[in-house]
Every structure is written in C-alpha cells, then in structure tokens.
Amino acid sequence: MMCLSSGIRSIRAWAKFLLYFLAFSYAGMAAERANIVLIMADDMGIECLGSYGSAAYETPNLDRLAENGVRFEHCYSTPLCTPSRVQIMTGKYGFRNYVDFGTLPLDQVTFANLLKDSGYATCIAGKWQLGGDDKTPGHFGFDQYCVSHLGGLEEKPDEEAKGRFAHPLIQQDGRYLPGDRIRDAYGPDLFCDYLLEFIDANQDRPFFAYYPMVLVHTPFVPTPDSLEWNDPLQRDVKESRNFAEMVRYADKLVGRIIERLEKRGLLDETLILFTGDNGTHVSVSSELQNGSTIHGGKGTMLDTGTRVPLIASWKGSGARGLVSEDLVDFTDFLPTLLEAGGRLDVMGEQLDGRSFLPQIRGEKGDPRQWVFCHYDPNVPFGGFQLHAGRWARDQRFKLYEDGRFYDVANDPREQKDLQSLERIPGAASARKRLREVLESMPAWVEVGAHHRSSEQNKKYLGSTSGN
C-alpha cells in the first residue's frame, strides 16, 4: 500500500513538474509571438514622408515611428497595386501566381492563412481588390474584414454609397454597411475604427491586423480635416492640392493605431510595419528638403514607381533610431511576419523572400545581395504607360532583362544607359551578377498554370473597379 501511495505521489510530482515546464515553455513561446500590425498606404512613395526627406507633407506620427524603430532605405514593391498585394501576401514573385489585375488565385496561401493556423486572430481593414465574394477574405485566412473593392453579395448597397472616401461603399463581415453608418462618414475613418475594435477585442491573444489603406489614392478629394469637407460641390473635385491633406490624414490614422496600442499596453509586444504598395501617382510632384523635386512614378519601373517606404517598430524587441541600407522586396514580408510569430517552419514550400526580422532587432541578419521585379500588369483600363518587364538591382546598379543598365544611385531617372563600364568601378561585376539573377528566374510562361478562361475570370473577379 505504501509503495502504491509512494508511486502515486511520484506520478503527481512528475505531472506537476510537467505542467510547470509546459506553462513556462508556453510563456516563453508567447513572449516571442509578437502581435503584428502591417500598414500599407496606397500610392505613397518615399518622397511623401518627412523621415525620408520630404519638405512637402506633414507626417509626424510616421516620423516618430521611424525614430523609435528602423527606417529601411531600400524597400521595393512592384509598380502597381494588385501585383504588389499578391506578392506581399504570398511571399512569391509574380511569375509564380499573378494572373490578372484584381485577382488573387484561390490556390494561393497568404500570410493570414499561416498566422491563423499558428493561433493568431486575423483581420483586414481597407482596400481588398483581389476578387471573389464575401467568403474570399475568410478563404485567405482573415477572421474578420471591413473592405472596399469586394463584390459577390446579393444584397444591394445603399443607393448613395460610392467609392472609398465620402459616403463610401464598404463590405463588413458579409454585409454592406447601411446608409446610417456611411452617411456623412469618411471611409478611411471607418476602416481604422474597425481595426481598433479588433485590437481591443483581441488584446489578450496574439493578433495580426492587416491595414491596406485606401489613402492616398486618387481621386484627390478633401478629408474631414479639410476646409472644403462640408462643401458637397468640392468633394469630388480631383485637384492635386488635396493630396497633401490626404497624406496628413493617413499619418493621423497611423497615430490613432499607435495611441490605441499604447493605451492597451501592447506596444512592447507589437511589431508595427508601414510601407506603400507602389510609387506616388504620376500627377504629383513633391519637394524634398534638399531642394530637388520628385515626380510620381506609379505604373513605371523607375525608382519612383517601385521604391517605397518601410518603417518597422517593435518597442519591446526591436532597434531604435536605426537606418538600414539592406535590400528588401515584397516577397520578404511573409517570412518576416512568420518569424515574428515564432513559426517560420510552417511553410511547406520554397518562398522567394527572406526574413528581415533580425535587422528590425538591430542584428546583422542575412541581407539580400539583390532584389528582383517581375511586372506584367495585365490592366483592363488606361491611364498609365504600363509596360511589362523585369529587372534585378542592388543598392546602386540596375539591370533590365532587355540589357539596359543604369547607375540608379546617381541616375534615378535612368537617363544614361551605361555603355562604357570600365570607367565605373564595380559596374562590370555588378552587371554580371545581376544578369545571373535574371537568368536564374523561371520563364514568364510558368504563370500559365494559373490561367483561367475569360468566363471563369468574370465569375471570380466579381466587382473590382478602379485601381
């Protein structure tokens, strides 16, 4: 009997030890699982932020975010919204999975799918424009959504609802927002409100909030902080003078998110990332602090079309006040988020990107030696000179697939194709290295495995007007 009693006590002791061990291990794992807020502005190049040298716009919240984190000098998207969104969400270059404008193929796995499978609460608020219907955000891993540019509902929206700004057309968790919610409302405010409610509701568990903003896309119209906001005749006037107001309002919404995280005591365990989907609209010219002028390059493969801001701030585990010259492209976001979530091992297939989380922490990491851009927009409307192409580049040199080669650090407008390489130290070796990168990429036709018939596309796309 004593032996039995002693054995039971021993089992209980071991069970107690195991529980303590598991609890300790879980606590350690939870500490490594950051909350994640990924903010992506729409059509905002680096020249729009004070921390990147802008003299034309007010961005105090984003500038403080950079002061308290890491500002990356070399982050590259594609030149247009949908290919950038597909790339950032899947961690793959467009030749693998980009088929049409306004489409994310249903066979793709996104960062939200993977983080949700790892125990995260997930949410998207803002611009969708990836096709499908009210079931599609859930298919791609989002527990909750509040978005524009999503079709497929049989329900009719409020007859006055339109666009994404004043009196907006918005779907939220399977329903159109009713007239009393959107009348006299501003779409960017509604998206931000929804995201803040999501943070409040999930503050006690790991969460991922993806915020693809609708600002600062055209039309350039007044914000609620503009003098013209209460003048209906001014709301739809497409004037560039409103652009600065829209930049200021985007910054204000970022400030609201930071304030809410701080209020809830979540800043230490939350990784905040801010970027843009492509360069600024071609109609916008912006003055820099050094006296130069930057003309927007959206839709082009120039620096002004593909070089975008990237600010990362993680108060509890990240570096502060650093500027990184490391190369980053949009395939790198997915592995970075997975590593921040403690689950870089969940991918069952090869990604094109690599994590830059070590750099966010102030460590050396494994920085890229090149970035690559595959661009085949397949856009069903005009407005831009949208020419397909490919390039590979490093911090200084850029090589196109057709052989054009530029010293973009000193020739950002790409006006001088380098013919005499021996006069520029390092140019010949850089071109050889970048040519090897381009030749290593699979052919364009590889994406053909995803192509659907035109009728299938119509069914899948739903309502995806605009760009």
Side-chain angles (χ1 to χ4, degrees):
M1 191 71 176
M2 288 182 61
C3 289
L4 179 60
S5 223
S6 175
I8 291 173
R9 283 196 301 271
S10 179
I11 291 172
R12 286 174 176 170
W14 274 106
K16 189 175 182 180
F17 171 79
L18 182 60
L19 287 173
Y20 276 122
F21 175 79
L22 290 174
F24 178 80
S25 299
Y26 178 79
M29 182 180 69
E32 293 298 314
R33 287 161 58 84
N35 302 316
I36 302 167
V37 178
L38 172 57
I39 306 168
M40 184 169 69
D42 198 356
D43 295 359
M44 185 184 287
I46 63 172
E47 74 276 12
C48 295
L49 279 70
S51 56
Y52 282 91
S54 177
Y57 313 108
E58 298 176 21
T59 56
N61 293 298
L62 286 166
D63 297 343
R64 278 193 295 272
L65 198 68
E67 291 172 4
N68 293 321
V70 181
R71 175 168 60 85
F72 289 82
E73 283 288 291
H74 288 281
C75 178
Y76 296 91
S77 65
T78 79
L80 201 64
C81 49
T82 300
S84 288
R85 291 163 201 278
V86 172
Q87 186 168 316
I88 200 171
M89 291 175 71
T90 64
K92 299 177 183 178
Y93 291 121
F95 61 79
R96 301 193 194 282
N97 59 10
Y98 181 73
V99 296
D100 284 300
F101 185 84
T103 303
L104 176 58
L106 291 171
D107 62 355
Q108 293 302 295
V109 175
T110 74
F111 46 32
N113 289 124
L114 297 168
L115 289 169
K116 180 177 179 178
D117 289 347
S118 298
Y120 275 71
T122 58
C123 164
I124 181 172
K127 182 176 177 178
W128 179 250
Q129 200 175 62
L130 295 169
D133 55 25
D134 59 306
K135 304 293 191 301
T136 309
H139 174 83
F140 288 119
F142 295 103
D143 297 322
Q144 300 175 229
Y145 71 87
C146 178
V147 297
S148 63
H149 299 85
L150 178 65
L153 281 182
E154 294 183 5
E155 172 196 6
K156 298 296 182 183
D158 181 90
E159 60 182 15
E160 296 181 22
K162 61 179 180 179
R164 59 198 96 177
F165 298 121
H167 208 116
L169 179 62
I170 293 176
Q171 281 193 37
Q172 179 175 305
D173 298 324
R175 304 278 310 217
Y176 285 113
L177 288 186
D180 61 346
R181 288 282 311 281
I182 60 176
R183 195 166 293 114
D184 298 322
Y186 186 54
D189 282 334
L190 296 176
F191 297 129
C192 188
D193 290 344
Y194 186 85
L195 187 143
L196 296 179
E197 291 170 4
F198 170 79
I199 290 173
D200 287 344
N202 293 280
Q203 58 185 298
D204 296 324
R205 61 176 295 193
F207 62 78
F208 169 50
Y210 179 36
Y211 185 26
M213 306 177 96
V214 296
L215 290 165
V216 291
H217 197 288
T218 56
F220 300 144
V221 292
T223 75
D225 289 346
S226 305
L227 294 176
E228 300 87 356
W229 173 252
N230 291 317
D231 184 352
L233 296 178
Q234 295 292 329
R235 285 189 179 181
D236 294 322
V237 177
K238 298 180 180 179
E239 296 185 2
S240 296
R241 65 186 175 84
N242 291 320
F243 182 77
E245 295 282 346
M246 296 171 77
V247 172
R248 184 183 299 115
Y249 210 91
D251 180 81
K252 176 182 177 178
L253 296 178
V254 172
R256 289 184 62 198
I257 295 169
I258 297 170
E259 181 182 18
R260 182 61 58 89
L261 290 168
E262 186 171 28
K263 181 179 179 181
R264 298 292 179 232
L266 297 171
L267 273 181
D268 278 355
E269 59 255 41
T270 302
L271 170 61
I272 305 171
L273 295 164
F274 176 87
T275 191
D277 64 346
N278 47 246
T280 309
H281 194 276
V282 293
S283 67
V284 177
S285 296
S286 306
E287 300 298 319
L288 298 184
Q289 295 166 13
N290 63 10
S292 62
T293 300
I294 299 294
H295 303 287
K298 174 182 177 177
T300 75
M301 298 192 76
L302 299 171
D303 255 26
T304 50
T306 58
R307 188 178 175 191
V308 293
L310 172 56
I311 297 171
S313 179
W314 187 359
K315 184 178 179 182
S317 298
R320 293 170 61 89
L322 293 185
V323 177
S324 175
E325 296 287 339
D326 287 352
L327 296 163
V328 175
D329 75 26
F330 266 29
T331 64
D332 298 329
F333 280 77
L334 187 148
T336 301
L337 301 191
L338 292 184
E339 185 173 1
R343 289 303 308 275
L344 192 56
D345 62 317
V346 300
M347 286 304 298
E349 57 184 296
Q350 180 66 42
L351 293 174
D352 290 314
R354 65 179 66 182
S355 172
F356 54 90
L357 189 68
Q359 289 93 314
I360 294 172
R361 288 174 165 153
E363 303 164 1
K364 184 179 185 302
D366 181 24
R368 287 174 163 272
Q369 301 305 307
W370 51 265
V371 291
F372 168 74
C373 181
H374 167 99
Y375 182 50
D376 186 13
N378 196 17
V379 177
F381 49 82
F384 298 96
Q385 295 298 314
L386 301 172
H387 301 297
R390 283 178 161 188
W391 54 246
R393 64 164 295 166
D394 57 22
Q395 287 89 339
R396 180 175 180 182
F397 296 105
K398 181 176 182 181
L399 178 66
Y400 285 86
E401 193 169 48
D402 62 9
R404 288 174 294 137
F405 184 57
Y406 299 97
D407 179 1
V408 284
N410 298 298
D411 180 23
R413 296 185 182 180
E414 300 178 13
Q415 297 177 324
K416 184 180 179 182
D417 188 356
L418 298 180
Q419 302 297 326
S420 181
L421 300 179
E422 67 276 3
R423 299 179 183 177
I424 303 176
S429 60
R431 184 165 70 171
K432 180 177 183 295
R433 182 173 63 253
L434 296 175
R435 172 55 62 190
E436 290 172 352
V437 172
L438 290 170
E439 291 175 350
S440 72
M441 295 296 170
W444 293 62
V445 295
E446 297 247 338
V447 77
H450 296 279
H451 274 305
R452 296 175 296 276
S453 71
S454 59
E455 288 304 312
Q456 287 174 317
N457 280 335
K458 288 178 183 177
K459 181 177 180 181
Y460 178 78
L461 281 170
S463 175
T464 56
S465 60
N467 69 318

